[in-house]
Amino acid sequence: MDTAPKDTEPLDTAAPRETAPRALITGSTSGIGAAFSAQLAQEGYDLVLVARGAQRLEAQAAQLRERWGIGASAVPADLATEAGIAAVAEVIDAERIDVLVNNAGYGLASSALETPVAELAAMSTVLLRAVQVLSWHAARRMLDRGRGGIVTVTSLAALTTMGEYAADKAAATVFTESLAAELAGTPVTATAVLPGFVATQFHAAMGAQRPTFPRLAWLRPEQVAREALAAARRGAVTCVPGAQYRVLAAVAPLVPRPLVRWASAGFGFDRAARAAPVS
């Protein structure tokens, strides 16, 4: 992903610049997505920001334009819907997007059987279908232009059996790896990023209490974005931010699957106890 700014115009205009690289980031307004947005803006990228809340999205775009002098546009879209995915795909087809960051996502506070099936489907649409559709459109446009990079934020949960979230993240990881294989030998890359625990509002947003792990267990969103972009620029297929989690990811395949299932179930006990029954 050789898309760092080169010979760009001075960073003194809020309008999109023809020679500036451009990145589209889903789930851009908080957590890891906000960190990607800030990092790329600082590097001189023009941005296309995607999230559900239009007001918050516009405020983020304005703030980034004012601070970094870049072009930043807001595309409100609900990626849990086919219409929302289609709207973002249209932007990818119509505009030059050098870097796509698939970051939008959320979790559920209840287990699969305690969650309405429509909610399971909506989360799967955000975590997997949106990744597939947007990556497909981006990869084809990037191949036509002869450069580009796709970064998909999945999760180390993909190595576990912790419900629908883990299943969707595992599928998104495999999809990105397979896409990277198809793109091998081209100037376009695809990188799956598998963070561990990150200090964001992820748990609060799904109505769950953040696990009380030692400080060492928590990554900063800025570290995840920085390491992910560095890995993508190296052409890495996968990236596990944080040395502690790289060790865990290396050991995980050696753990017997029954033990993985046991540990995953144990981790979900507290969540299941707090969940309200489905009516």
Side-chain angles (χ1 to χ4, degrees), residues 223-244:
Q223 178 184 356
V224 175
R226 185 174 60 251
E227 292 193 22
L229 290 172
R233 286 167 177 150
R234 294 194 305 269
V237 176
T238 60
C239 168
V240 179
Q244 68 275 45

Side-chain angles (χ1 to χ4, degrees), residues 1-257:
M1 187 186 72
D2 182 17
T3 54
K6 294 179 180 179
D7 301 322
T8 60
E9 298 172 6
L11 304 183
D12 59 0
T13 174
R17 298 156 294 150
E18 289 301 320
T19 57
R22 184 176 291 120
L24 187 149
I25 304 162
T26 69
S28 68
T29 55
S30 64
I32 297 173
F36 271 109
S37 302
Q39 178 68 35
L40 289 166
Q42 185 176 359
E43 294 179 10
Y45 281 74
D46 285 346
L47 302 178
V48 179
L49 306 173
V50 178
R52 286 186 301 173
Q55 186 174 359
R56 188 175 180 184
L57 195 61
E58 291 285 0
Q60 182 193 24
Q63 182 182 45
L64 291 169
R65 287 195 297 263
E66 181 178 355
R67 180 170 185 183
W68 300 109
I70 62 164
S73 59
V75 180
D78 184 356
L79 296 182
T81 68
E82 290 295 330
I85 295 172
V88 180
E90 286 181 12
V91 173
I92 293 172
D93 285 340
E95 300 183 19
R96 172 176 53 81
I97 301 297
D98 300 297
V99 177
L100 168 66
V101 179
N102 291 306
N103 171 75
Y106 62 95
L108 298 172
S110 55
S111 66
L113 292 180
E114 293 167 327
T115 303
V117 70
E119 291 185 21
L120 293 179
M123 187 174 73
S124 184
T125 300
V126 174
L127 299 185
L128 179 57
R129 177 156 176 77
V131 168
Q132 293 170 326
V133 174
L134 301 185
S135 297
W136 185 90
H137 283 267
R140 291 172 70 89
R141 300 291 84 73
M142 290 172 180
L143 285 171
D144 289 342
R145 288 190 299 271
R147 68 180 302 181
I150 298 167
V151 177
T152 298
V153 179
T154 66
S155 173
L156 275 184
L159 306 181
T160 74
T161 62
M162 291 190 288
E164 183 68 29
Y165 181 84
D168 292 334
K169 289 297 190 180
T173 299
V174 172
F175 173 80
T176 305
E177 289 180 299
S178 67
L179 183 60
E182 287 193 51
L183 295 170
T186 77
V188 181
T189 63
T191 303
V193 183
L194 288 74
F197 289 106
V198 185
T200 67
Q201 295 301 309
F202 177 84
H203 294 90
M206 68 178 187
Q209 185 175 357
R210 181 186 291 182
T212 54
F213 293 147
R215 181 178 297 181
L216 179 65
W218 295 96
L219 301 173
R220 299 296 303 167
E222 295 78 10
Q223 178 184 356
V224 175
R226 185 174 60 251
E227 292 193 22
L229 290 172
R233 286 167 177 150
R234 294 194 305 269
V237 176
T238 60
C239 168
V240 179
Q244 68 275 45
Y245 287 116
R246 285 192 285 276
V247 172
L248 181 61
V251 171
L254 305 177
V255 178
R257 201 61 180 171

